[in-house]
Amino acid sequence: MFEIESSHPDFEGYYNYNSLNGIEVLEGSKLMYDNFFENYMLPNIPCVIKGVTSKWKSSQLWVKDDAPNFQYLSEKYGNNNVTVHKCSERYYNCQKSYKTTLTDYLEYFQECTSQDSNPSKLEYLKNWHLKLKYQEDDFYEVPIFFASDWLNEYYTHCSDDDYRFVYMGPKGTWTPFHADVFMSYSWSANVCGRKRWLIFPPGEEIYLRDVFGNLPYDIENENHSQKFFEVIQEKGDAIFVPSGWHHQVWNIEDTISINHNWINGCNIKMMYDSLITNFIAVQKEIEDCREMEDFEEHCQLMLNSSFGMDFHKFYEFLKFIASSRIDMKKGTSPKTSFIGHKIGPNHILFDLKSVKTVLELFINLEEVNSLKYFIDTDVKPLELLHQITVVLDT
């Protein structure tokens, strides 16, 4: 069992990505968690880690002759419903999608590999929650570097959802320009195939906005005079995309990848800041309705729709992580992550300090002190803050 641990329980003053001249390529077998934590995750710097998928069952079973093993995938998972995106059909700032079975999609995919793909008919299977349905299927293992994953720890315990995905698509399929949900980190590992990434440091995307403030859908033909990085991701590579780094991705070969979005103590403040930014935007959008009854509750409904989480859900998320780490610190629950890695004592403290920092900001919001949910909830924000403080002081 590996241990998730860092020698640095504090996290002030690390957010400086300008020290990196390019995307560093690291050897997974030689990379230690502490090094990744301090030099990439904490300062929010991207990197590529090689050799991540070599021992995965999917690398053997899903791949044949360096290409997708269509027969195995169809026999094993063919009846599953999947979401497929049409790369040539835009729907707002996404691609138009439809539902089908994996077997039907694999038939299309296999046809693409036997002849030149028609660019106007390229289709990309994305966001397939395969692990959620096949919990006991160990087709991959989360690399130790990405194991501190509050988002999937919370969602797999408290809902029927997760942020663990399989992507697969023929050469030429692509994902439009975007930053990841909740201002989360993401990691993506190629089981087979190769990808091309364009990645922009936080703030650089501003120069790509049009006169209406909209970001581009496709940056392939944009003027990239500002700072960005281009990465070719090979089979077996995992790429770490930090919070707030906008990116666009192309499959330059037939490709299958496994991807996670994730939040932890290093980027929870960024998630909080994004939540508040979106909340302020919602308030501004319906400012004319401020005198309506239940205005703040209506803002929360809109926030949940646009951001994917409202204040209630965000607090439940913080409360779940805080309660888990408090129990670990007291010794009343196992000191292990939801995927079985041991969590060291410094990391438990780091997680609690990170929640405390954000919770103190959250409590000072006027809406948190007025919304009915926070008045009636079983553990109120101030009470949770007190519990964390007591544990940290012992």
Side-chain angles (χ1 to χ4, degrees):
M1 180 183 294
F2 292 99
E3 182 174 40
I4 307 172
E5 182 62 307
S6 170
S7 57
H8 294 276
D10 297 309
F11 64 98
E12 298 295 334
Y14 280 91
Y15 297 101
N16 178 17
Y17 55 78
N18 292 322
S19 62
L20 193 62
N21 294 321
I23 304 292
E24 294 191 8
V25 179
L26 311 169
E27 181 56 54
S29 63
K30 299 178 181 178
L31 180 64
M32 303 299 291
Y33 180 83
D34 195 68
N35 178 272
F36 177 74
F37 180 93
E38 292 186 43
N39 296 310
Y40 303 96
M41 190 159 59
L42 204 51
N44 211 43
I45 295 173
C47 66
V48 173
I49 305 175
K50 300 194 75 65
V52 166
T53 71
S54 60
K55 296 182 180 179
W56 289 1
K57 288 185 178 179
S58 53
S59 293
Q60 285 78 46
L61 300 176
W62 294 11
V63 181
K64 185 177 181 180
D65 299 327
D66 286 330
N69 188 336
F70 298 107
Q71 180 177 350
Y72 175 85
L73 289 166
S74 185
E75 290 176 355
K76 178 76 173 180
Y77 308 113
N79 291 329
N80 282 264
N81 290 321
V82 295
T83 302
V84 177
H85 296 252
K86 297 183 176 183
C87 293
S88 63
E89 297 187 34
R90 181 173 178 175
Y91 182 73
Y92 294 97
N93 230 34
C94 300
Q95 294 164 337
K96 189 173 290 186
S97 64
Y98 68 95
K99 301 282 188 181
T100 188
T101 65
L102 180 66
T103 291
D104 286 345
Y105 178 72
L106 291 175
E107 288 178 1
Y108 151 80
F109 195 163
Q110 197 163 9
E111 288 177 4
C112 289
T113 63
S114 62
Q115 55 190 354
D116 291 335
S117 301
N118 185 338
S120 67
K121 295 183 178 180
L122 287 171
E123 299 187 350
Y124 195 2
L125 188 161
K126 302 181 189 180
N127 300 326
W128 181 19
H129 296 262
L130 180 61
K131 187 64 175 176
L132 188 64
K133 183 172 182 179
Y134 293 84
Q135 296 287 349
E136 303 304 318
D137 189 341
D138 55 347
F139 57 90
Y140 77 107
E141 296 178 2
V142 177
I144 183 68
F145 326 110
F146 313 136
S148 179
D149 181 348
W150 295 5
L151 197 61
N152 286 300
E153 179 180 351
Y154 171 72
Y155 273 89
T156 56
H157 277 85
C158 302
S159 75
D160 57 356
D161 198 6
D162 68 354
Y163 285 86
R164 302 173 293 178
F165 310 110
V166 174
Y167 281 47
M168 60 176 68
K171 176 182 177 180
T173 48
W174 62 289
T175 298
F177 189 63
H178 70 285
D180 287 311
V181 62
F182 301 143
M183 198 62 72
S184 62
Y185 296 141
S186 66
W187 65 264
S188 175
N190 285 352
V191 175
C192 68
R194 302 167 75 224
K195 293 186 179 185
R196 173 182 173 237
W197 296 70
L198 290 185
I199 309 176
F200 292 74
E204 295 296 324
E205 77 282 354
I206 294 171
Y207 304 107
L208 291 170
R209 294 187 184 276
D210 63 20
V211 293
F212 302 105
N214 299 313
L215 289 169
Y217 170 74
D218 181 3
I219 59 172
E220 179 73 326
N221 298 315
E222 295 283 338
N223 177 19
H224 306 315
S225 58
Q226 66 279 14
K227 182 177 180 180
F228 72 97
F229 301 96
E230 182 170 5
V231 178
I232 302 299
Q233 180 190 14
E234 306 288 344
K235 174 185 176 181
D237 292 355
I239 186 167
F240 167 61
V241 182
S243 292
W245 288 64
H246 283 72
H247 49 282
Q248 187 164 319
V249 191
W250 297 262
N251 291 324
I252 55 178
E253 292 179 358
D254 296 346
T255 302
I256 300 176
S257 65
I258 293 173
N259 311 329
H260 280 206
N261 290 106
W262 49 306
I263 300 285
N264 61 31
C266 296
N267 64 343
I268 184 64
K269 175 60 165 55
M270 298 182 198
M271 180 186 184
Y272 172 78
D273 289 342
S274 184
L275 174 76
I276 300 306
T277 297
N278 279 268
F279 174 64
I280 293 171
V282 165
Q283 285 186 313
K284 185 177 180 180
E285 184 176 343
I286 60 170
E287 180 65 30
D288 293 346
C289 303
R290 182 169 286 276
E291 300 306 317
M292 69 182 287
E293 186 177 358
D294 296 329
F295 172 78
E296 292 299 345
E297 284 76 8
H298 189 66
C299 287
Q300 293 300 313
L301 287 172
M302 292 182 64
L303 179 63
N304 186 61
S305 177
S306 62
F307 185 71
M309 190 176 284
D310 58 16
F311 284 5
H312 168 199
K313 291 181 180 178
F314 182 71
Y315 177 66
E316 287 296 317
F317 174 50
L318 290 182
K319 184 172 69 172
F320 175 84
I321 297 299
S323 299
S324 168
R325 301 307 184 266
I326 288 171
D327 289 343
M328 289 180 187
K329 182 69 167 60
K330 291 180 176 179
T332 57
S333 71
K335 296 179 174 66
T336 56
S337 72
F338 78 108
I339 53 175
H341 292 296
K342 182 179 179 182
I343 302 179
N346 277 342
H347 219 302
I348 294 171
L349 292 175
F350 173 77
D351 285 357
L352 285 170
K353 289 179 180 180
S354 299
V355 173
K356 183 174 183 285
T357 296
V358 169
L359 189 57
E360 287 173 334
L361 296 171
F362 190 62
I363 286 171
N364 287 326
L365 295 174
E366 179 181 346
E367 292 76 18
V368 171
N369 295 308
S370 61
L371 287 170
K372 185 176 185 297
Y373 167 77
F374 296 104
I375 297 172
D376 296 342
T377 184
D378 56 340
V379 180
K380 297 177 175 59
L382 273 173
E383 183 181 352
L384 180 62
L385 180 62
H386 175 71
Q387 291 176 4
I388 295 171
T389 302
V390 169
V391 169
L392 288 174
D393 287 345
T394 57

